[in-house]
Amino acid sequence: MPHPDPKVEADTLPWHISEGYQYDSQITEFLGSKEAAINLIERVKSWSTSQRLAVIYKARAYWRQQPVDLDASDEIDDE
């Protein structure tokens, strides 16, 4: 859940990654081993606020993409 204060959101990014790894199977699968997750979290902790906000921005943009509508071809008028 996004926080209204970007600084707080950036500061809690490592925590969110850790929680995601523990409770979201998609994140667990993506990050792989526990060691890989810990290494990523430690790297994120070393990033500046600007770097963290850039990653948050890109992640939001990615997840907001609309899914591809595979049935769209049904709507094409064949006249």
Side-chain angles (χ1 to χ4, degrees), residues 28-41:
T28 304
E29 184 179 324
F30 178 76
L31 293 179
S33 70
K34 185 174 182 176
E35 182 180 283
I38 290 169
N39 288 337
L40 174 64
I41 293 165

Side-chain angles (χ1 to χ4, degrees), residues 23-76:
Y23 301 110
D24 185 327
S25 61
Q26 193 174 26
I27 294 172
T28 304
E29 184 179 324
F30 178 76
L31 293 179
S33 70
K34 185 174 182 176
E35 182 180 283
I38 290 169
N39 288 337
L40 174 64
I41 293 165
E42 290 305 314
R43 251 187 16 227
V44 171
K45 285 180 180 179
S46 73
W47 293 349
S48 68
T49 299
S50 298
Q51 289 171 311
R52 291 181 189 188
L53 288 173
V55 168
I56 291 167
Y57 173 81
K58 293 301 276 184
R60 281 187 183 161
Y62 174 80
W63 289 111
R64 286 189 177 147
Q65 291 177 1
Q66 295 298 317
V68 175
D69 183 4
L70 298 176
D71 294 328
S73 60
D74 294 342
E75 298 172 14
I76 297 174

